[in-house]
């Protein structure tokens, strides 16, 4: 499950960066919509990374 979470993080971040960097010929959206959508995808990818890190990779300090 943790590798699936990391894969989704990479997909959200990658697609968000792609949208932010794409030209008008690649995506026929107005520039402000591309900024909003790309920013939301990057933010959500970062949020998923933090949650996956806390759930799967951070040691539980209460059990130490």
């Amino acid at each position: 499950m943790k590798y699936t979470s990391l894969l989704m993080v990479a997909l959200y971040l990658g697609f968000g960066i792609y949208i932010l960097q794409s030209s008008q010929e690649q995506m026929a959206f107005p520039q402000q919509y591309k900024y909003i959508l790309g920013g939301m995808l990057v933010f959500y990818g970062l949020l998923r990374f933090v949650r996956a890190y806390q759930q799967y990779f951070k040691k539980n300090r209460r059990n130490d």
Side-chain angles (χ1 to χ4, degrees), residues 29-62:
F29 285 133
Q31 194 67 27
Q32 64 267 21
Y33 292 151
K34 288 198 293 187
Y35 287 147
I36 292 170
L37 181 60
M40 285 174 45
L41 286 171
V42 168
F43 176 74
Y44 187 64
L46 292 174
L47 181 70
R48 282 189 65 126
F49 174 75
V50 169
R51 288 174 46 201
Y53 177 77
Q54 289 175 346
Q55 185 174 1
Y56 296 116
F57 297 102
K58 193 173 183 181
K59 290 189 178 201
N60 192 357
R61 296 185 187 258
R62 284 183 273 177

Side-chain angles (χ1 to χ4, degrees), residues 11-35:
L11 289 175
Y12 280 118
L13 288 175
F15 194 57
I17 291 170
Y18 173 75
I19 289 174
L20 288 173
Q21 299 295 320
S22 65
S23 66
Q24 190 65 27
E25 291 83 28
Q26 291 172 326
M27 296 196 121
F29 285 133
Q31 194 67 27
Q32 64 267 21
Y33 292 151
K34 288 198 293 187
Y35 287 147

